Amino acid sequence: MIPVILVGIPETKRAVYFQKAAAQTGVPCLLWDWAQRPFRFPTGGFVKIDPPLWASCNLDEMNVCIRRYQKDLAALARLSEENDFQFLNHPNAIWDLLDKRRCKMRLLQADLPITEPLTAFEEAPLLDAEQLMAKMAARRIFQVFIKPVCGSGAAGVTAFRFQPGKSKMALYTCAVLETSSGQLVNTKRLRRFSQARQVFPLLNHILKLDCIVERWYAKTEYHGLSYDLRAVMQDGHLDFLLARLSKGPITNLHLNNQSLSATALNLSPPVLDSILELCQKAMDCFPGLRSAGIDLLLEKKSQKPRIIEMNGQGDLIHQDIYQENSIYRHQIALSQQPKEEMKK
């Protein structure tokens, strides 16, 4: 039996339910705490990497944390070259997905439908509100999403719209500027700003984090709520499809949005087939990737799927762990495959 090593955080839901899945099948599972350095794993094992926890809610420190995580992933990648073990997701693949610009460029090169960037990925990033609004006006795109390149959990994610000539604008974000310190802080609560004196300082600060800017699409609705989808793909199979419903533009579930099994949406077989095909093609773009959470939207009129982003550690679905725990059980099953099959 092949031992499993989980690089994670003790007592988190990710760790607890992954270990339960291993115990149910009798597979030995070692939890390697992210705080333990250096990394030393038994040879011949199967390694899964869960995300670390960020200690700070200061978004100005986010890129420092991301660079530290990038170094850890690089160290794990080097370790795999020196030892005889396999990854569920190779550290390089995790980084390829965490970097939204790199991920979207790869998908675009494969001619897959994604949320359209406002500027070409090769162009210099937009650095302030004036540049952003000038580019939006030039392209006649008047609502966009702004996302830190390597952020997660909606940290710094901003939805912005404006009407040229009418001085009307709206900005939705969980980030606020603290008046005392001038720091940009993630509050995990969605706010709406409509006054230029509030919007411009926020936009200027957020854009300096290094962001991608994308078209804000009208999404398909369910009972008056717009939604997008989280698809969990593992080894070529669609293991879970969840709808995230919201009154506002940002659908992350920790913002008190609603979740719904995609079966309740009554999507037509052709739409479901197009979702599966798109997800399979997206997974094929990243060598070393066997499991991913893929966020998609369905365009309001056509129901054409577009990839919003991909997450190499997007496998925590509460609706699953509290019922079948099928996603983690599938990962344990993958850990026991012969190495020849793992490399396919």
Side-chain angles (χ1 to χ4, degrees), residues 19-174:
Q19 289 173 304
K20 281 186 177 181
Q24 288 170 353
T25 51
V27 174
C29 180
L30 166 68
L31 175 62
W32 188 277
D33 194 326
W34 264 112
Q36 292 178 264
R37 296 293 192 283
F39 300 112
R40 291 196 183 97
F41 304 146
T43 60
F46 175 90
V47 180
K48 180 191 176 185
I49 304 170
D50 271 349
L53 294 179
W54 310 121
S56 175
C57 63
N58 181 356
L59 294 175
D60 296 318
E61 299 175 355
M62 179 169 60
N63 287 335
V64 174
C65 295
I66 292 294
R67 285 193 291 271
R68 188 181 306 127
Y69 185 40
Q70 184 182 14
K71 290 181 179 178
D72 285 336
L73 290 174
L76 288 166
R78 289 192 299 271
L79 191 64
S80 70
E81 297 171 359
E82 303 164 1
N83 295 271
D84 185 24
F85 57 76
Q86 298 286 331
F87 286 107
L88 173 65
N89 285 336
H90 194 278
N92 294 341
I94 292 174
W95 176 252
D96 283 342
L97 269 58
L98 184 61
D99 184 326
K100 294 180 178 65
R101 186 178 291 123
R102 181 196 300 261
C103 178
K104 286 294 189 70
M105 286 179 68
R106 188 85 58 88
L107 296 172
L108 200 58
Q109 289 166 356
D111 200 28
L112 299 183
I114 62 172
T115 44
E116 178 190 356
L118 181 67
T119 60
F121 291 119
E122 296 81 5
E123 294 182 37
L126 300 168
L127 297 179
D128 57 38
E130 184 178 353
Q131 287 185 8
L132 171 66
M133 295 174 72
K135 179 62 73 172
M136 290 171 67
R139 292 207 54 198
R140 300 193 61 77
I141 295 175
F142 301 117
Q143 54 181 33
V144 296
F145 270 95
I146 305 158
K147 304 175 183 179
V149 168
C150 293
S152 61
V157 172
T158 300
F160 174 63
R161 62 160 59 105
F162 83 100
Q163 293 178 283
K166 295 185 179 180
S167 300
K168 289 186 177 181
M169 60 186 67
L171 182 148
Y172 304 82
T173 185
C174 296

Side-chain angles (χ1 to χ4, degrees), residues 46 86-89 231-240 276 279-284 286 288-294 310 312 315 326-327 329-344:
F46 175 90
Q86 298 286 331
F87 286 107
L88 173 65
N89 285 336
V232 179
M233 291 291 296
Q234 301 200 120
D235 208 36
H237 300 280
L238 179 58
D239 275 1
F240 211 94
L276 176 59
C279 289
Q280 289 173 331
K281 288 180 177 179
M283 295 290 289
D284 290 342
F286 299 93
L289 183 70
R290 304 199 75 193
S291 173
I294 303 178
M310 297 178 66
D315 56 5
S326 60
I327 295 170
R329 286 194 291 108
H330 190 181
Q331 292 176 1
I332 295 298
L334 292 176
S335 75
Q336 302 305 298
Q337 290 183 2
K339 291 180 184 177
E340 292 74 18
E341 292 185 33
M342 291 289 295
K343 293 177 181 179
K344 290 181 181 178

Side-chain angles (χ1 to χ4, degrees), residues 42 52 86 90 97 179 181 224 236 253 256 274:
Q86 298 286 331
H90 194 278
L97 269 58
T179 54
S181 65
L253 295 180
N256 295 322
S274 65

Side-chain angles (χ1 to χ4, degrees), residues 275-343:
I275 290 170
L276 176 59
E277 181 182 9
L278 177 56
C279 289
Q280 289 173 331
K281 288 180 177 179
M283 295 290 289
D284 290 342
C285 292
F286 299 93
L289 183 70
R290 304 199 75 193
S291 173
I294 303 178
D295 294 339
L296 312 102
L297 63 81
L298 300 176
E299 292 188 33
K300 190 169 186 177
K301 292 182 179 180
S302 65
Q303 289 201 314
K304 174 184 176 180
R306 287 183 179 271
I307 294 176
I308 302 171
E309 60 186 60
M310 297 178 66
N311 187 337
Q313 296 160 320
D315 56 5
L316 177 62
I317 304 293
H318 289 167
Q319 291 77 2
D320 180 54
I321 61 173
Y322 295 142
Q323 297 181 35
E324 301 297 325
N325 206 18
S326 60
I327 295 170
Y328 290 157
R329 286 194 291 108
H330 190 181
Q331 292 176 1
I332 295 298
L334 292 176
S335 75
Q336 302 305 298
Q337 290 183 2
K339 291 180 184 177
E340 292 74 18
E341 292 185 33
M342 291 289 295
K343 293 177 181 179

